[in-house]
Amino acid sequence: MNDTGIGASVRRKEDFRFLTGQGTYTDDINRPGQTYGYILRSPVAHAKINGIDLAEAKAAPGVVAIFTGDDMQVGSIPCGWGVNNKDGSPMNEPPHPALAQGKVRHVGDQVAIVIAESYAEARAAAELIDVDYEELPAVADLATALDQSTLVHDEAPGNLCYDWEIGEEAQVNAIFESAHHVTSMDIVNNRLVPNAMEPRAAIGEYDSATGEYTLYTTSQNPHVIRLLMGAFVLQIPEHKLRVVAPDVGGGFGSKIFHYAEEAIVTWAAQKVRRPIKWRAERSESFLSDAHGRDHVTKAELALDQDGKFIGLRCYTKANMGAYLSTFSTCVPTYLHATLLAGVYTTPAIYCNVKAVFTNTVPVDAYRGAGRPEATYLLERLVDRAARETGMSQSEIRRKNFIPEDAFPYQTPVALQYDSGNYTATLDRAEELADVAGFQARRSEAASRGKLRGLGYSTYVEACGIAPSAVVGSLGARAGLFESANIRVHPTGSVTVYTGSHSHGQGHETTFAQLVSDSLGIPIENVDISHGDTNKVAFGMGTYGSRSLAVGGEAIMKALDKVITKSKKIAAHVLEADSADIEFKDGKFTVAGTDREMAFGDVALTAYVPHNFPHDELEPGLEEQAFYDPMNFTYPAGCHICEVEIDPDTGVVEVVAMTAMDDVGRVINPMIVEGQIHGGLAQGIGQALMEGARYDDDGQLLTGSYMDYCMPRADDLPDFKVGTTTTLCTHNSLGVKGCGEVGAIGSPPAVINAVVDALWDQGVRDIAMPATPNAVWNALNGAKTAMAAE
Amino acid sequence: MTNVSMTVNGRPVSADVEPRTLLVEYLRENIGLTGTHVGCDTSQCGACVIHVDGKSVKSCTMLAVQAAGCEVTTIEGLANGDDLHPMQAAFRENHGLQCGFCTPGMVMSAVDLVTKNPDLTDTEIRDGLEGNICRCTGYHNIVKSVRAGSNAMKAAE
Ligand code: FES
Ligand code: FES
């Protein structure tokens, strides 16, 4: 192994600029002549707009222009994935205007943009706008939204977006009828606010000399924004629209989607002929960044007399919020229901998903997207089934795992897992978590009056999104390949242009390691360029743990092409046949001889082609590749959580969190561990602290860091993480993806641990987030119930 | 408009601002130092932490006029040219940052924390960073970084 190659914990190339305050985030950019935009948002969840009086605001100091929905007559913000109903008919897809057209549908809905010389002036002027709202009843509750007479959209009767299913319901019902044991649970997956630390921001700019638009935006996928906004909303052709996503301060899914503000500032910049900067205040982020999760499910698991799973059925309601955000529709279906086999051999599965409109902020992908919801309901069911049938948590899982020799394994819910070894991962996790010593720790805790619990979760996820043919057949309106361009400069240094986007993942290092390893050149000689549609040919961006498995593979393909061409150049110079040229450690050698040429000399020769046979060999050394994967990748793992609960206060302390994950080949172990740590923190946050709450009027009750509980350093333990490895069989690197595993595997492990701690006190279930209040109530409710028996 | 002057990273600076201007706005917009970030509007996240007269301060919670005449250090003033401050170096070495957005505030808080008490336990480090939110790292590597940075600062004395 080269010390900056594959497998090395190379320190990150990007860190110097971030550590010295020299990162360039969107809000750090200022354009000449820039104005500031403030978005006036709806203060009510559902209302008709009977009129908007702008007179006073327009006269306020510094105001340049104000636009409302009447001015901005453009295309609807598109949804990227069409899902069909059970009967084959298409989903209800109501319009999604950038600025409200006669109605507002959630608190935070965009009503107007005020553009002024300073942000303070824009904000002050917005307060002078008089909007005549005729308030309508709000549909705020997911569980009852389908039964309400109030409609979020007239186009969507019953507030239904779609009623979708996978599997044969009748066949699965028959299995349940003859089952030895059935475990049933009502499961809520709590609504979360992603809360990347950098609030969203956007700068729109128009150059009247060239007719070109530029949008700087906090995005995980600038090309996707260019496509959605350019082609659908504003009708600007690609060659006249540049989208730049510079340094981005975290995404976690929330910066995938095309947001209204991007279209508004781009469109308005052409009207006022000056750049417009908009940036969200944190309270606006709460009201306008797509939220995550928010499912309610009735789930049942059927077992035979040997404790084998024989059937699973789930009925899920998934909140879409007020409008269909970019990936919203595929999250509860193709990223959720298709994962319900989990790591188990369950032969028959049925899942019905009803997607529901409510007067709340749109809901879309958040770290894990669909897979945490699937894992949570499955692992809660398995935990409960073990308790009901008298098996240990380890035993029930081992008995039902897909065996190591069964890969490739076709699940009953469409996916084919390529590789995995779930028993090995569980073994290692149990070792690292010292499960054997748990009873002693529990007794010791009891002697201090504390309740100690241990919880398991074994999961698989599908990532590396995704084979275009597969997702296309399932309703995706885009292909999900990735591109890479390798430019070898005359003196042998390299710039890689990737369609992946880094917003914390460390691509500038990991991708450079691939190049250093493959070409045998120092990592300092490699730069990774991303995030600008004028530099990178095309890209689908970063989400679904796809950067390495798809974007990295595209780089490998382009590197192969560079090496092939380099061999031709070396063969020409060394007067040999290119088939006889071997490439190793940065040197091209004629096989069996000592004639060799260094990579740097090949690069120089490529640009100084004094005697190239031009009909056979073109000058230059630059190659492009697009990679479309054959299958998803399937990281899997086992998370084990140990908690200690103070019965007097209900406070849950996570005393140990162990994660053993199989993410395929690891390129940079330090970065992989960091990704897993971050996912674990978000998973523990979901399980114990975080929850977005609306009141009956559709007001967000948790709209700031004062009321939405973000995990802080003193809420979390040190993590114990490790990896096991089975290689992905369909990409050259053998990589699977690590960005989401922490957030997918951990929430059920935490809740299972809480339930384990409370089980003997009579508590059978607890909803996320298991706050001190919820735990105390559960304990005391259970005590009262037990006393009454 | 009020004229506000102070010393930022050893350099005298001055700008005419509205009295309501926050110190973080002054630094970012008037002085052009964009390393100090704004992550919230309720003084919770700590992305904006800087040092004013040697003490860590949330610069979104102080008016520029309140810092008039003070010695201010921001993240841009911590390194010595290309030589990172030991705390910055420790964050790099221990992968204490991912997206980098919380990082300036986190590093400035950490420097103040360990300057006040060079012998912190891990629990005390976690408690001491309670006012800084990081969404990326899960804090594990931040705690490791602060411990390493603290040791390096002691060794450098
Ligand atoms: S910006 Fe969040 S505390 Fe200052
Ligand atoms: S590194 Fe991204 S918020 Fe801390």
Side-chain angles (χ1 to χ4, degrees), chain A residues 10 16 152 154 318 334 390 410-411 454 464 470 486 504 611 646 682 771:
Chain A
V10 179
F16 182 81
V152 178
D154 296 337
Y334 299 109
Q410 178 62 51
T411 74
L454 189 76
V470 176
I486 313 266
N611 58 357
D646 181 340
Q682 289 179 357
T771 59

Side-chain angles (χ1 to χ4, degrees), chain A residues 552-597:
Chain A
E553 277 296 306
I555 292 173
M556 295 308 287
K557 265 187 87 172
L559 283 167
D560 273 351
K561 292 185 184 178
V562 166
I563 292 169
T564 305
K565 167 108 188 248
S566 299
K567 281 184 177 172
K568 284 190 195 155
I569 297 171
H572 166 69
V573 174
L574 299 172
E575 297 177 334
D577 192 296
S578 71
D580 294 333
I581 303 287
E582 287 170 353
F583 180 56
K584 203 167 164 260
D585 300 330
K587 287 200 180 70
F588 296 88
T589 316
V590 183
T593 74
D594 58 0
R595 283 186 292 151
E596 62 176 36
M597 196 173 174

